[in-house]
Amino acid sequence: MAEPLSSQYDPAQIEAALYREWEERGYFHARAEPVLRGETDPYVIVIPPPNVTAVLHMGHGLNNTIQDVLIRWRRMQGRESLYLPGTDHARIATQNVVERQLAAEGKTRSDVGREAFVERVWEFVDRTGSTILEQLRAIGCSCDWTRTRFTLEPDLSRAVREAFVRLFDKGLIYRGKYIINWCPRCLTALSDEEAEAAETQGRLYHIRYPIAGDAPTGAPRLADGRAYVVVATTRPETMLGDTAVAVHPDDERYRSLVGGRLILPLVDRELPVVADTYVDPEFGSGVVKITPAHDPNDFELAQRHDIAALDVMTPDAHMSDDVPGPYRGLDRFEARRRVVADLEALDLVERIEDHTHSVPHCYRCDTIVEPRLSEQWFVRMKPLAEPALAAARSGRVRFTPDRWLKVYEHWMENIRDWTISRQLWWGHRIPVWYCRADGCGNVMAPRTDPTECTKCGSGDIEQDPDVLDTWFSSWLWPLSTLGWPDETDDLRAFYPTQTLVTAPEILFFWVARMIMAGYEFRGDAPFADVYLTGTVRDTQGRKMSKSLGNGIDPLEVVQLYGADALRYTVISSVGFGTDVYMDPDNLDATFSAGRNFSNKIWNAGRFALMNIGDDPVATLDDVRADLETADRWILSRLSAATAEVTRQLEAFRFHEAAESAYHFFWGELADWYLELIKPRMQPEASAGSRRAAKATLVHVLDGALRLLHPVMPYITESLWLRLPAPGGVAREESLVVGRWPDPGPRDEAAEAQMDALMELIGAVRTLRSEYNVPAQLHIHVHLTNPGPSLQEALRAEERALRRMARVGEVTVNGGAEGMGAHAVLRSGADLFLPLAGVIDVEQERKRLGKELERIDGQLRATESRLSSEQFAARAPAEIVAREREKAESLRDQRERLGAKMRGLG
RNA sequence: GGUCGCAUAGCUCAGCUGGUUAGAGCGCACGGUUCACAUCCGUGAGGUCGUAGGUUCGAGUCCUACUGCGACCACCA
């Protein structure tokens, strides 16, 4: 016999060692060759790359556990499974960390210079980066670490360059001066997706703009006699940049103004009045100030009407020199206060009202984004979106839960061009060079760094200083990690991948763009399934986050309860596309399910190993003739569980798969089967019976451990390795590469018998508990009218009834007399416990009365259904037959319960 | 403003094509010193399935409206 196991499962002792063993044996390493030879199908998940500087949190815990469950399950099914790990350089996030370090030294990035700064970021990344990959090991993720990638490493940078050049050559990348989202704190452009709208309580200022020249009759007038119109704005400081005013062409009120001029207060600039359908006459006064440099709509309108733009702000959102003296250099909000105060002093403010509207904030630092006229690089998205949209509609790419398809479609249909340049230093430098030679103006995007202009040959060229949006490398991730743009074996074997598991927050940022890149650069979708997880929240429903301090550290959980407990708990909490709630203040309660289940598995395994001892174990086939009801039952249940777990995993129903496996292991195998075979493990049991029980036990435990292995790899492997091989036949060397079981046949007779027996045992226990019959006291039971299944079960497993319900003697059909407790079983059998002296007649009468009431209620419902003509006419025959049988059985039960009542006197 | 989702036990959620008595885990109550496990075993209490209509022989499940919560999208200054 193997070394004795401790009675408590101690994960710390086994996990790290097992992981090392698995990794060393190369189980996680996927081979391209067998796939290319057509010997096996690949199953590939490319990890959503965490930020290189990230530390593992529960969101990763959830995500990566799901991925690993899928990978391990498919690997057991014999697929060449690749779980490809890696990290993302996360431009702003990482740059900010290093900038903060510099700030602590009293320096800024411009103090150290670009080259030194980038070097410093690399240092930081090399030192602290990839911690998260180590942490993924701790939760058991079976990644192929030989293929770890980083978005900024040379190969991937080459992919970024290639993608840029191709799009540039096709004219899908262009540079232009447009209104973009600008973060005045990060000092960079942001994409539309990075500017997050937040409802904000603001104000709507109604400002009087005097009319130059002839005013419409009846126009209101200022104290100085000038006529005016009212213009509404939420951002008065931007009026300093107004270059026009617009009204709706059909607006009678202002028709005479069109073509005329207004005077911009505070600046005294003349503003042309134009007519444009963009203006909503219903909103505000129906007159809109046009500030082309600080509002995207105004910018478009200005283009249509050939109106100039005037940028009145500096990059850090202070007023520029293009505004009147008093406002120069003021912060934008300070400027707003000054402008309003000055207007009020001039009696030019009609009124100020509260106004709730959504204001864009920087996704990284939450600063209010400033729409800013600026020259940036863009990707033309419409042509890229078309195949990606078609792929989702045709089902080439499936979303789970499928409601995300609509969200995706909506975004794709209304897609806007992507701002890809960022005014940062950390990231992929934009591979564009400008020729500075007089009159040349050449703009080049070559595959290798140029030394001279490709047009005029001048050596006076200069690279664009900006870097690319992080997502410009991320969207290539499934391609670049497999070797693209080279035609590598990995690319040919593993692209397209199968499943992407990620959070819905990055559906647009990442998922949609990967699909576009997949089609654009490889002509196929990057994955077949997108599984979108929920969010991990605390008990108050708040998203777990570092800043709120309501996070759970997965590593602490691993340390306390083990990776398996963490994984099981996470998997069993993840409803179909629902959020996951966990209590950071009560880890014990939160992870009790996983911890307790681990312990249960451990002890069931311990029980089996202790009882099997060193004896050789027969194969199931060898003991087929000696199998007893309980054996056939548990084998049948294993078949059922196997079919269920497989089906649920196929449908991404993790919660239910975990629950099925749990219920089988605990509720059937441990609670019933192990108890049932205890007597057969004793020396006095017959050798054949013992042999059959052990063979069944080993077989069933083997199957159960396989079903649980994807979710709980450590404990299952650790026990499985100790299980003897039936018949001495060689097995797989590890569950990691073990075979996923096929469901065997069901044994309906055995299941029916055990169901009846379990119900009987339950009924006896209930009565015992109800009447407080001491555990030491063995009682007699009398059974009348047991059905065939129950009779059969009793013949086979009477000792189980005695043991598990603490029953002395069992009398069938007869001898039931005197005072006692009654119950009617579903099978129609009648249970009687003679409990003279124990029983309380009143209590028994009440109990029977309650039961009678329940049966009466059911009977009434059933009978009324049966008496309905439509039911007989329209319901399927089997349903009608079932109802008939039910009514008959209920009538029978009612009659017998009535007799019992009368018997009580 | 638009789109989508959710509402089932004290809590977190299942309930997959409408069809036996609506389930699980945690929590709660009662009982348990049986040689795998007290991180355990047994028993129990607790639900008008958000509200109101409708379709159907039959609705937690399908439809409509309403209420409440949430997510995403959106240029009404």
Side-chain angles (χ1 to χ4, degrees), chain A residues 8 280 603 606 666 874 882 886:
Chain A
Q8 299 270 305
D280 175 4
N603 276 291
R606 200 168 146 245
W666 199 319
R874 303 209 190 156
R882 200 167 69 201
K886 189 173 146 195

PDB file of all heavy atoms in Angstrom, chain A residues 8 280 603 606 666 874 882 886, chain B residues 19 21 36 39 41 57 75-76:
ATOM      1  N   GLN A   8      -6.730  15.381   6.056  1.00  0.00           N
ATOM      2  CA  GLN A   8      -7.100  16.672   5.497  1.00  0.00           C
ATOM      3  C   GLN A   8      -6.299  16.874   4.226  1.00  0.00           C
ATOM      4  O   GLN A   8      -5.112  16.572   4.176  1.00  0.00           O
ATOM      5  CB  GLN A   8      -6.752  17.796   6.480  1.00  0.00           C
ATOM      6  CG  GLN A   8      -7.460  17.682   7.796  1.00  0.00           C
ATOM      7  CD  GLN A   8      -8.779  18.413   7.769  1.00  0.00           C
ATOM      8  OE1 GLN A   8      -8.824  19.583   7.453  1.00  0.00           O
ATOM      9  NE2 GLN A   8      -9.855  17.718   8.098  1.00  0.00           N
ATOM     10  N   ASP A 280     -30.730  71.687 -34.286  1.00  0.00           N
ATOM     11  CA  ASP A 280     -32.064  71.287 -33.839  1.00  0.00           C
ATOM     12  C   ASP A 280     -32.777  72.534 -33.309  1.00  0.00           C
ATOM     13  O   ASP A 280     -32.391  73.072 -32.283  1.00  0.00           O
ATOM     14  CB  ASP A 280     -31.920  70.244 -32.732  1.00  0.00           C
ATOM     15  CG  ASP A 280     -33.268  69.869 -32.130  1.00  0.00           C
ATOM     16  OD1 ASP A 280     -34.298  70.364 -32.629  1.00  0.00           O
ATOM     17  OD2 ASP A 280     -33.270  69.088 -31.168  1.00  0.00           O
ATOM     18  N   ASN A 603     -10.848  12.729   0.646  1.00  0.00           N
ATOM     19  CA  ASN A 603     -11.191  11.673   1.585  1.00  0.00           C
ATOM     20  C   ASN A 603     -11.859  10.476   0.930  1.00  0.00           C
ATOM     21  O   ASN A 603     -11.692   9.351   1.384  1.00  0.00           O
ATOM     22  CB  ASN A 603     -12.047  12.230   2.710  1.00  0.00           C
ATOM     23  CG  ASN A 603     -11.174  12.838   3.783  1.00  0.00           C
ATOM     24  OD1 ASN A 603     -10.469  12.121   4.484  1.00  0.00           O
ATOM     25  ND2 ASN A 603     -11.167  14.147   3.868  1.00  0.00           N
ATOM     26  N   ARG A 606      -9.022   8.668  -0.347  1.00  0.00           N
ATOM     27  CA  ARG A 606      -8.343   8.045   0.777  1.00  0.00           C
ATOM     28  C   ARG A 606      -9.068   6.764   1.189  1.00  0.00           C
ATOM     29  O   ARG A 606      -8.455   5.731   1.431  1.00  0.00           O
ATOM     30  CB  ARG A 606      -8.345   9.058   1.919  1.00  0.00           C
ATOM     31  CG  ARG A 606      -7.325   8.807   2.950  1.00  0.00           C
ATOM     32  CD  ARG A 606      -7.219  10.021   3.845  1.00  0.00           C
ATOM     33  NE  ARG A 606      -6.918   9.545   5.170  1.00  0.00           N
ATOM     34  CZ  ARG A 606      -7.697   9.660   6.218  1.00  0.00           C
ATOM     35  NH1 ARG A 606      -8.856  10.283   6.095  1.00  0.00           N
ATOM     36  NH2 ARG A 606      -7.345   9.172   7.373  1.00  0.00           N
ATOM     37  N   TRP A 666     -20.215  13.738  -5.054  1.00  0.00           N
ATOM     38  CA  TRP A 666     -20.587  13.840  -3.647  1.00  0.00           C
ATOM     39  C   TRP A 666     -21.924  13.149  -3.360  1.00  0.00           C
ATOM     40  O   TRP A 666     -22.037  12.305  -2.470  1.00  0.00           O
ATOM     41  CB  TRP A 666     -20.662  15.321  -3.232  1.00  0.00           C
ATOM     42  CG  TRP A 666     -20.595  15.569  -1.772  1.00  0.00           C
ATOM     43  CD1 TRP A 666     -21.210  14.839  -0.787  1.00  0.00           C
ATOM     44  CD2 TRP A 666     -19.867  16.608  -1.103  1.00  0.00           C
ATOM     45  NE1 TRP A 666     -20.918  15.369   0.435  1.00  0.00           N
ATOM     46  CE2 TRP A 666     -20.102  16.449   0.284  1.00  0.00           C
ATOM     47  CE3 TRP A 666     -19.053  17.660  -1.533  1.00  0.00           C
ATOM     48  CZ2 TRP A 666     -19.533  17.318   1.238  1.00  0.00           C
ATOM     49  CZ3 TRP A 666     -18.505  18.511  -0.584  1.00  0.00           C
ATOM     50  CH2 TRP A 666     -18.743  18.328   0.779  1.00  0.00           C
ATOM     51  N   ARG A 874     -55.963  17.031 -26.931  1.00  0.00           N
ATOM     52  CA  ARG A 874     -54.787  17.710 -27.486  1.00  0.00           C
ATOM     53  C   ARG A 874     -53.449  17.332 -26.877  1.00  0.00           C
ATOM     54  O   ARG A 874     -52.433  17.485 -27.523  1.00  0.00           O
ATOM     55  CB  ARG A 874     -54.970  19.221 -27.352  1.00  0.00           C
ATOM     56  CG  ARG A 874     -56.243  19.668 -28.044  1.00  0.00           C
ATOM     57  CD  ARG A 874     -56.151  21.058 -28.536  1.00  0.00           C
ATOM     58  NE  ARG A 874     -57.467  21.501 -28.967  1.00  0.00           N
ATOM     59  CZ  ARG A 874     -57.845  22.759 -29.022  1.00  0.00           C
ATOM     60  NH1 ARG A 874     -56.991  23.694 -28.644  1.00  0.00           N
ATOM     61  NH2 ARG A 874     -59.044  23.086 -29.429  1.00  0.00           N
ATOM     62  N   ARG A 882     -49.510   9.261 -18.423  1.00  0.00           N
ATOM     63  CA  ARG A 882     -48.795   9.515 -17.185  1.00  0.00           C
ATOM     64  C   ARG A 882     -49.735  10.109 -16.136  1.00  0.00           C
ATOM     65  O   ARG A 882     -49.694   9.748 -14.958  1.00  0.00           O
ATOM     66  CB  ARG A 882     -47.644  10.486 -17.469  1.00  0.00           C
ATOM     67  CG  ARG A 882     -46.578  10.460 -16.412  1.00  0.00           C
ATOM     68  CD  ARG A 882     -45.359  11.184 -16.882  1.00  0.00           C
ATOM     69  NE  ARG A 882     -45.608  12.610 -16.995  1.00  0.00           N
ATOM     70  CZ  ARG A 882     -44.881  13.446 -17.746  1.00  0.00           C
ATOM     71  NH1 ARG A 882     -43.891  12.978 -18.464  1.00  0.00           N
ATOM     72  NH2 ARG A 882     -45.170  14.725 -17.781  1.00  0.00           N
ATOM     73  N   LYS A 886     -50.787   8.550 -12.547  1.00  0.00           N
ATOM     74  CA  LYS A 886     -50.551   9.363 -11.372  1.00  0.00           C
ATOM     75  C   LYS A 886     -51.824   9.447 -10.524  1.00  0.00           C
ATOM     76  O   LYS A 886     -51.789   9.276  -9.299  1.00  0.00           O
ATOM     77  CB  LYS A 886     -50.129  10.763 -11.821  1.00  0.00           C
ATOM     78  CG  LYS A 886     -49.649  11.655 -10.715  1.00  0.00           C
ATOM     79  CD  LYS A 886     -49.113  12.942 -11.306  1.00  0.00           C
ATOM     80  CE  LYS A 886     -49.387  14.117 -10.400  1.00  0.00           C
ATOM     81  NZ  LYS A 886     -49.188  15.398 -11.104  1.00  0.00           N
TER      82      LYS A 886
ATOM     83  P     G B  19     -41.488  22.063 -19.562  1.00  0.00           P
ATOM     84  OP1   G B  19     -41.079  22.604 -18.264  1.00  0.00           O
ATOM     85  OP2   G B  19     -40.564  21.319 -20.410  1.00  0.00           O
ATOM     86  O5'   G B  19     -42.794  21.176 -19.343  1.00  0.00           O
ATOM     87  C5'   G B  19     -43.646  21.430 -18.242  1.00  0.00           C
ATOM     88  C4'   G B  19     -44.463  20.194 -17.954  1.00  0.00           C
ATOM     89  O4'   G B  19     -45.491  20.076 -18.953  1.00  0.00           O
ATOM     90  C3'   G B  19     -43.654  18.908 -17.975  1.00  0.00           C
ATOM     91  O3'   G B  19     -43.951  18.147 -16.817  1.00  0.00           O
ATOM     92  C2'   G B  19     -44.138  18.168 -19.233  1.00  0.00           C
ATOM     93  O2'   G B  19     -44.222  16.790 -19.034  1.00  0.00           O
ATOM     94  C1'   G B  19     -45.517  18.740 -19.422  1.00  0.00           C
ATOM     95  N9    G B  19     -46.015  18.770 -20.789  1.00  0.00           N
ATOM     96  C8    G B  19     -45.320  18.721 -21.959  1.00  0.00           C
ATOM     97  N7    G B  19     -46.086  18.785 -23.012  1.00  0.00           N
ATOM     98  C5    G B  19     -47.380  18.883 -22.487  1.00  0.00           C
ATOM     99  C6    G B  19     -48.627  18.991 -23.135  1.00  0.00           C
ATOM    100  O6    G B  19     -48.846  19.032 -24.328  1.00  0.00           O
ATOM    101  N1    G B  19     -49.668  19.069 -22.234  1.00  0.00           N
ATOM    102  C2    G B  19     -49.529  19.044 -20.870  1.00  0.00           C
ATOM    103  N2    G B  19     -50.645  19.119 -20.152  1.00  0.00           N
ATOM    104  N3    G B  19     -48.365  18.942 -20.242  1.00  0.00           N
ATOM    105  C4    G B  19     -47.344  18.873 -21.119  1.00  0.00           C
ATOM    106  P     U B  21     -46.989  17.279 -10.353  1.00  0.00           P
ATOM    107  OP1   U B  21     -48.155  16.680  -9.703  1.00  0.00           O
ATOM    108  OP2   U B  21     -47.170  18.405 -11.301  1.00  0.00           O
ATOM    109  O5'   U B  21     -45.915  17.714  -9.251  1.00  0.00           O
ATOM    110  C5'   U B  21     -46.165  18.884  -8.450  1.00  0.00           C
ATOM    111  C4'   U B  21     -45.264  18.827  -7.249  1.00  0.00           C
ATOM    112  O4'   U B  21     -45.299  17.501  -6.694  1.00  0.00           O
ATOM    113  C3'   U B  21     -43.797  19.153  -7.529  1.00  0.00           C
ATOM    114  O3'   U B  21     -43.385  20.198  -6.668  1.00  0.00           O
ATOM    115  C2'   U B  21     -43.053  17.879  -7.145  1.00  0.00           C
ATOM    116  O2'   U B  21     -41.841  18.123  -6.521  1.00  0.00           O
ATOM    117  C1'   U B  21     -44.021  17.237  -6.166  1.00  0.00           C
ATOM    118  N1    U B  21     -43.866  15.794  -5.965  1.00  0.00           N
ATOM    119  C2    U B  21     -43.501  15.391  -4.685  1.00  0.00           C
ATOM    120  O2    U B  21     -43.309  16.183  -3.782  1.00  0.00           O
ATOM    121  N3    U B  21     -43.367  14.038  -4.540  1.00  0.00           N
ATOM    122  C4    U B  21     -43.564  13.076  -5.486  1.00  0.00           C
ATOM    123  O4    U B  21     -43.412  11.906  -5.199  1.00  0.00           O
ATOM    124  C5    U B  21     -43.941  13.575  -6.780  1.00  0.00           C
ATOM    125  C6    U B  21     -44.082  14.887  -6.969  1.00  0.00           C
ATOM    126  P     A B  36     -13.948   4.395   7.748  1.00  0.00           P
ATOM    127  OP1   A B  36     -15.388   4.589   7.818  1.00  0.00           O
ATOM    128  OP2   A B  36     -13.414   3.081   7.326  1.00  0.00           O
ATOM    129  O5'   A B  36     -13.337   5.493   6.771  1.00  0.00           O
ATOM    130  C5'   A B  36     -11.926   5.706   6.703  1.00  0.00           C
ATOM    131  C4'   A B  36     -11.654   7.048   6.050  1.00  0.00           C
ATOM    132  O4'   A B  36     -12.187   7.016   4.702  1.00  0.00           O
ATOM    133  C3'   A B  36     -12.349   8.235   6.707  1.00  0.00           C
ATOM    134  O3'   A B  36     -11.556   8.737   7.768  1.00  0.00           O
ATOM    135  C2'   A B  36     -12.446   9.216   5.547  1.00  0.00           C
ATOM    136  O2'   A B  36     -11.198   9.830   5.309  1.00  0.00           O
ATOM    137  C1'   A B  36     -12.748   8.274   4.380  1.00  0.00           C
ATOM    138  N9    A B  36     -14.180   8.090   4.136  1.00  0.00           N
ATOM    139  C8    A B  36     -15.016   7.165   4.693  1.00  0.00           C
ATOM    140  N7    A B  36     -16.243   7.225   4.248  1.00  0.00           N
ATOM    141  C5    A B  36     -16.213   8.271   3.332  1.00  0.00           C
ATOM    142  C6    A B  36     -17.205   8.833   2.525  1.00  0.00           C
ATOM    143  N6    A B  36     -18.461   8.411   2.473  1.00  0.00           N
ATOM    144  N1    A B  36     -16.839   9.859   1.727  1.00  0.00           N
ATOM    145  C2    A B  36     -15.565  10.271   1.758  1.00  0.00           C
ATOM    146  N3    A B  36     -14.545   9.817   2.487  1.00  0.00           N
ATOM    147  C4    A B  36     -14.943   8.801   3.251  1.00  0.00           C
ATOM    148  P     U B  39     -14.251  21.261  10.398  1.00  0.00           P
ATOM    149  OP1   U B  39     -12.881  20.790  10.498  1.00  0.00           O
ATOM    150  OP2   U B  39     -14.623  22.597  10.924  1.00  0.00           O
ATOM    151  O5'   U B  39     -14.741  21.153   8.863  1.00  0.00           O
ATOM    152  C5'   U B  39     -15.715  22.077   8.264  1.00  0.00           C
ATOM    153  C4'   U B  39     -15.682  21.786   6.796  1.00  0.00           C
ATOM    154  O4'   U B  39     -14.455  22.307   6.277  1.00  0.00           O
ATOM    155  C3'   U B  39     -15.695  20.274   6.575  1.00  0.00           C
ATOM    156  O3'   U B  39     -16.873  19.731   6.026  1.00  0.00           O
ATOM    157  C2'   U B  39     -14.295  19.926   5.998  1.00  0.00           C
ATOM    158  O2'   U B  39     -14.386  19.096   4.886  1.00  0.00           O
ATOM    159  C1'   U B  39     -13.714  21.301   5.634  1.00  0.00           C
ATOM    160  N1    U B  39     -12.313  21.455   5.972  1.00  0.00           N
ATOM    161  C2    U B  39     -11.435  21.539   4.907  1.00  0.00           C
ATOM    162  O2    U B  39     -11.799  21.426   3.749  1.00  0.00           O
ATOM    163  N3    U B  39     -10.130  21.727   5.242  1.00  0.00           N
ATOM    164  C4    U B  39      -9.612  21.883   6.511  1.00  0.00           C
ATOM    165  O4    U B  39      -8.422  22.070   6.649  1.00  0.00           O
ATOM    166  C5    U B  39     -10.569  21.791   7.544  1.00  0.00           C
ATOM    167  C6    U B  39     -11.853  21.583   7.254  1.00  0.00           C
ATOM    168  P     C B  41     -21.023  15.250   4.154  1.00  0.00           P
ATOM    169  OP1   C B  41     -21.027  14.661   2.809  1.00  0.00           O
ATOM    170  OP2   C B  41     -21.464  16.630   4.360  1.00  0.00           O
ATOM    171  O5'   C B  41     -21.869  14.323   5.129  1.00  0.00           O
ATOM    172  C5'   C B  41     -21.598  12.935   5.182  1.00  0.00           C
ATOM    173  C4'   C B  41     -22.477  12.303   6.203  1.00  0.00           C
ATOM    174  O4'   C B  41     -22.093  12.763   7.528  1.00  0.00           O
ATOM    175  C3'   C B  41     -23.943  12.683   6.134  1.00  0.00           C
ATOM    176  O3'   C B  41     -24.619  11.983   5.106  1.00  0.00           O
ATOM    177  C2'   C B  41     -24.407  12.285   7.523  1.00  0.00           C
ATOM    178  O2'   C B  41     -24.495  10.882   7.653  1.00  0.00           O
ATOM    179  C1'   C B  41     -23.236  12.790   8.357  1.00  0.00           C
ATOM    180  N1    C B  41     -23.451  14.164   8.840  1.00  0.00           N
ATOM    181  C2    C B  41     -24.270  14.350   9.959  1.00  0.00           C
ATOM    182  O2    C B  41     -24.779  13.354  10.482  1.00  0.00           O
ATOM    183  N3    C B  41     -24.492  15.604  10.428  1.00  0.00           N
ATOM    184  C4    C B  41     -23.931  16.643   9.817  1.00  0.00           C
ATOM    185  N4    C B  41     -24.171  17.856  10.320  1.00  0.00           N
ATOM    186  C5    C B  41     -23.092  16.489   8.670  1.00  0.00           C
ATOM    187  C6    C B  41     -22.883  15.247   8.218  1.00  0.00           C
ATOM    188  P     C B  57     -56.045  24.868 -26.395  1.00  0.00           P
ATOM    189  OP1   C B  57     -56.299  23.861 -27.427  1.00  0.00           O
ATOM    190  OP2   C B  57     -56.896  26.086 -26.251  1.00  0.00           O
ATOM    191  O5'   C B  57     -55.984  24.157 -24.974  1.00  0.00           O
ATOM    192  C5'   C B  57     -57.197  23.854 -24.293  1.00  0.00           C
ATOM    193  C4'   C B  57     -56.891  23.000 -23.088  1.00  0.00           C
ATOM    194  O4'   C B  57     -56.406  21.708 -23.532  1.00  0.00           O
ATOM    195  C3'   C B  57     -55.779  23.511 -22.198  1.00  0.00           C
ATOM    196  O3'   C B  57     -56.259  24.466 -21.271  1.00  0.00           O
ATOM    197  C2'   C B  57     -55.295  22.246 -21.510  1.00  0.00           C
ATOM    198  O2'   C B  57     -56.155  21.851 -20.468  1.00  0.00           O
ATOM    199  C1'   C B  57     -55.407  21.230 -22.646  1.00  0.00           C
ATOM    200  N1    C B  57     -54.143  21.072 -23.397  1.00  0.00           N
ATOM    201  C2    C B  57     -53.064  20.402 -22.805  1.00  0.00           C
ATOM    202  O2    C B  57     -53.194  19.979 -21.647  1.00  0.00           O
ATOM    203  N3    C B  57     -51.923  20.246 -23.493  1.00  0.00           N
ATOM    204  C4    C B  57     -51.824  20.727 -24.733  1.00  0.00           C
ATOM    205  N4    C B  57     -50.673  20.549 -25.366  1.00  0.00           N
ATOM    206  C5    C B  57     -52.892  21.410 -25.365  1.00  0.00           C
ATOM    207  C6    C B  57     -54.026  21.562 -24.673  1.00  0.00           C
ATOM    208  P     C B  75     -21.650  60.192 -30.818  1.00  0.00           P
ATOM    209  OP1   C B  75     -21.018  60.507 -32.087  1.00  0.00           O
ATOM    210  OP2   C B  75     -20.852  59.614 -29.702  1.00  0.00           O
ATOM    211  O5'   C B  75     -22.410  61.473 -30.275  1.00  0.00           O
ATOM    212  C5'   C B  75     -21.733  62.426 -29.497  1.00  0.00           C
ATOM    213  C4'   C B  75     -22.270  63.787 -29.842  1.00  0.00           C
ATOM    214  O4'   C B  75     -21.920  64.090 -31.217  1.00  0.00           O
ATOM    215  C3'   C B  75     -23.783  63.871 -29.818  1.00  0.00           C
ATOM    216  O3'   C B  75     -24.246  64.139 -28.523  1.00  0.00           O
ATOM    217  C2'   C B  75     -24.054  65.019 -30.787  1.00  0.00           C
ATOM    218  O2'   C B  75     -23.842  66.252 -30.176  1.00  0.00           O
ATOM    219  C1'   C B  75     -22.976  64.784 -31.856  1.00  0.00           C
ATOM    220  N1    C B  75     -23.447  64.009 -33.022  1.00  0.00           N
ATOM    221  C2    C B  75     -24.458  64.535 -33.838  1.00  0.00           C
ATOM    222  O2    C B  75     -24.946  65.621 -33.532  1.00  0.00           O
ATOM    223  N3    C B  75     -24.880  63.837 -34.897  1.00  0.00           N
ATOM    224  C4    C B  75     -24.328  62.655 -35.190  1.00  0.00           C
ATOM    225  N4    C B  75     -24.783  62.001 -36.261  1.00  0.00           N
ATOM    226  C5    C B  75     -23.294  62.097 -34.387  1.00  0.00           C
ATOM    227  C6    C B  75     -22.893  62.802 -33.327  1.00  0.00           C
ATOM    228  P     C B  76     -25.438  63.331 -27.859  1.00  0.00           P
ATOM    229  OP1   C B  76     -24.800  62.522 -26.828  1.00  0.00           O
ATOM    230  OP2   C B  76     -26.236  62.700 -28.906  1.00  0.00           O
ATOM    231  O5'   C B  76     -26.307  64.418 -27.124  1.00  0.00           O
ATOM    232  C5'   C B  76     -27.423  64.951 -27.775  1.00  0.00           C
ATOM    233  C4'   C B  76     -27.082  66.242 -28.444  1.00  0.00           C
ATOM    234  O4'   C B  76     -27.964  66.380 -29.556  1.00  0.00           O
ATOM    235  C3'   C B  76     -27.285  67.491 -27.574  1.00  0.00           C
ATOM    236  O3'   C B  76     -26.046  67.939 -27.044  1.00  0.00           O
ATOM    237  C2'   C B  76     -27.882  68.491 -28.554  1.00  0.00           C
ATOM    238  O2'   C B  76     -26.907  69.172 -29.293  1.00  0.00           O
ATOM    239  C1'   C B  76     -28.707  67.590 -29.463  1.00  0.00           C
ATOM    240  N1    C B  76     -30.044  67.275 -28.914  1.00  0.00           N
ATOM    241  C2    C B  76     -31.177  67.718 -29.624  1.00  0.00           C
ATOM    242  O2    C B  76     -31.022  68.334 -30.668  1.00  0.00           O
ATOM    243  N3    C B  76     -32.408  67.447 -29.136  1.00  0.00           N
ATOM    244  C4    C B  76     -32.538  66.767 -28.009  1.00  0.00           C
ATOM    245  N4    C B  76     -33.754  66.524 -27.581  1.00  0.00           N
ATOM    246  C5    C B  76     -31.401  66.300 -27.268  1.00  0.00           C
ATOM    247  C6    C B  76     -30.191  66.589 -27.752  1.00  0.00           C
TER     248        C B  76
END
